[in-house]
Amino acid sequence: MSAHMLLPTTSNLPVPRSAPSRSRTRTSGRPKRKWGSSPREGERLRPLTRGQVQDRLQELGDLYAEVSGGGPWAWNEARAAFLRHLAADARRPGFSLLIAETTVLTGYAYGFPVGGAGPWWAGFDGHVRGSLLRRVAPGRLFVVSGIVVASRVRREYQDRAWNLARRLQRRLLADHGAALGVTLVEARDAGMIETLRSWGWRSAGGDTHTAGPPGSCRVLVLSAGA
């Protein structure tokens, strides 16, 4: 099974509503601090063990469906499909899932390391070229299967180091000593590709920028620390 990025598409995301305006008295002194969608001191990041992932599957599925949007039928279908993908990835050697939370779950990212050979590489052969594998030492290539964050994180302050999605993907690679992250994205999903590129992902060498036929994939890579 191919490990496709399961970032919810941007086309069906609910538009965030702005909070009601309140009149405030302006005071002199330091300018008002401007917070983004992922404040520097906001969500706590921590990995879950495999057992904890199993215990929180319902919660993980609920958040995925919530940020995917749509009506009840679409919500249930998206949730079920996501849980199937997650269960399959969780069986891969080295699987890791990192969550972000305040008093509640606010996002997560997950994936697994690969060495370029063996049954768990199946699904990437034919997509990832040998030149890409030669760029990194064995065991330092990490597949990022999914990043699940709220719509505002995908729309605001995407280039800031403290953007929640960037924090998650950077920590995920760092925890595994990975030099390069890699993911597959459906070639026609322009919204997902644009979002990932705004977080520092780039097309792999030799990968084209064309949409491609239905079912084809684009290979995107992410340098550690990006």
Side-chain angles (χ1 to χ4, degrees):
M1 182 188 69
S2 297
H4 293 271
M5 174 64 73
L6 284 173
L7 180 73
T9 58
T10 56
S11 59
N12 61 357
L13 292 173
V15 178
R17 298 181 180 181
S18 57
S21 60
R22 299 179 182 178
S23 59
R24 294 182 177 178
T25 303
R26 295 184 61 87
T27 58
S28 58
R30 293 182 300 175
K32 181 181 177 182
R33 191 171 187 178
K34 187 176 183 179
W35 292 109
S37 58
S38 307
R40 190 179 304 274
E41 299 295 336
E43 292 89 344
R44 301 180 301 277
L45 306 188
R46 66 182 181 91
L48 296 185
T49 66
R50 288 177 183 268
Q52 289 172 328
V53 170
Q54 289 297 321
D55 291 341
R56 301 184 67 169
L57 273 180
Q58 302 305 314
E59 186 181 1
L60 296 169
D62 287 348
L63 181 62
Y64 180 86
E66 178 184 334
V67 301
S68 295
W73 182 84
W75 194 95
N76 289 328
E77 184 177 27
R79 185 178 184 279
F82 163 77
L83 289 177
R84 288 194 297 270
H85 280 284
L86 181 59
D89 276 350
R91 293 193 294 270
R92 298 177 185 265
F95 171 81
S96 178
L97 188 145
L98 182 69
I99 65 170
E101 59 185 354
T102 51
T103 56
V104 295
L105 180 69
T106 60
Y108 50 95
Y110 60 95
F112 51 92
V114 292
W120 295 110
W121 186 246
F124 271 85
D125 49 351
H127 292 290
V128 179
R129 304 175 187 273
S131 59
L132 174 60
L133 295 178
R134 288 191 293 271
R135 289 172 55 185
V136 295
R140 299 198 67 198
L141 186 65
F142 193 89
V143 175
V144 179
S145 296
I147 302 174
V148 178
V149 289
S151 59
R152 67 181 183 277
V153 177
R154 299 194 290 277
R155 294 172 176 170
E156 302 173 4
Y157 303 94
Q158 296 162 312
D159 60 342
R160 299 294 182 88
W162 43 260
N163 177 279
L164 181 57
R166 283 181 173 265
R167 290 177 60 201
L168 284 165
Q169 65 190 24
R170 186 168 60 246
R171 170 75 180 275
L172 197 59
L173 297 186
D175 283 356
H176 290 268
L180 197 69
V182 62
T183 194
L184 296 182
V185 185
E186 290 189 12
R188 293 182 176 271
D189 196 340
M192 184 182 296
I193 292 172
E194 180 182 358
T195 296
L196 289 171
R197 289 181 65 84
S198 74
W199 292 337
W201 291 81
R202 295 293 177 262
S203 296
D207 190 23
T208 64
H209 294 270
T210 57
S216 62
C217 292
R218 290 274 301 278
V219 180
L220 298 183
V221 295
L222 178 73
S223 298

